[in-house]
Amino acid sequence: MILLSTSDFTGYNYINTSTASLPKLQAYIDRYEKMYILQLLGVELGELFIADLSNASQDVRFVAIQDPFYEQTDAGHIYQSNGMIEFLCAAIAYHYIKDTQFSHTISGVGKKLLEAQKDQSGENAHRYGERRFNEELNTVDAIQWYCKRFDSATYPEYKGVEIKPVYSAIL
């Protein structure tokens, strides 16, 4: 565990889970959380951020980019970050939703069906995950802008990369 836990998927980031599905959600956190932190901040700053999370008192420079914030430039542009947890939840939810619409069995790949509800098509579920991911790209932009605006004084290790929107294939 780095920053997220399965209990973070509540409220706006809600993912319906059960005792059986929690290990799968945790596996998605384990697979994607560090990857997105390193893309967001760059490898060196990302590793420093992760290491700092184990300290009893977190470094102020890391709290500033982890927590939600609003900043306005002199030109009037407003940068809004919903916080790193919100972005990571949206990114992981995208992969989780996309990948769990179908399951692999001995007889092949099949769509999960439940008696009590009408499921969306796999494509619509995929688009739902995409929307959640793409909504948080403003948070990505805000955090990366915040790291760049200090002219390397506060975040000299910053080398984040562009995190692009995700789109379904055109049908």
Side-chain angles (χ1 to χ4, degrees), residues 3-15 25 28-29 32-33 36-37 40 82-97 128-136 139-140:
L3 184 60
L4 290 184
S5 70
T6 57
S7 64
D8 289 315
F9 292 87
T10 60
Y12 185 74
N13 292 309
Y14 180 74
I15 289 182
L25 179 56
Y28 275 78
I29 292 170
Y32 291 107
E33 181 179 26
Y36 278 111
I37 290 171
L40 181 65
N82 293 326
M84 204 177 290
I85 289 176
E86 289 283 323
F87 163 65
L88 293 170
C89 281
I92 290 164
Y94 161 71
H95 291 284
Y96 182 82
I97 291 166
Y128 172 76
E130 288 172 351
R131 280 193 313 273
R132 289 182 64 185
F133 181 92
N134 292 339
E135 283 177 5
E136 286 304 321
T139 291
V140 169

Side-chain angles (χ1 to χ4, degrees), residues 28-44:
Y28 275 78
I29 292 170
D30 296 343
R31 179 177 180 105
Y32 291 107
E33 181 179 26
K34 183 173 183 177
M35 179 190 86
Y36 278 111
I37 290 171
L38 297 182
Q39 287 180 8
L40 181 65
L41 303 175
V43 172
E44 187 178 357

Side-chain angles (χ1 to χ4, degrees), residues 99-139:
D99 294 349
T100 58
Q101 295 306 302
F102 299 92
S103 61
H104 185 267
T105 65
I106 291 174
S107 60
V109 176
K111 186 176 187 321
K112 294 179 182 181
L113 296 175
L114 299 175
E115 293 177 27
Q117 77 182 44
K118 183 177 191 255
D119 286 344
Q120 292 289 323
S121 70
E123 294 83 13
N124 285 340
H126 191 153
R127 286 187 190 103
Y128 172 76
E130 288 172 351
R131 280 193 313 273
R132 289 182 64 185
F133 181 92
N134 292 339
E135 283 177 5
E136 286 304 321
L137 291 179
N138 287 334
T139 291

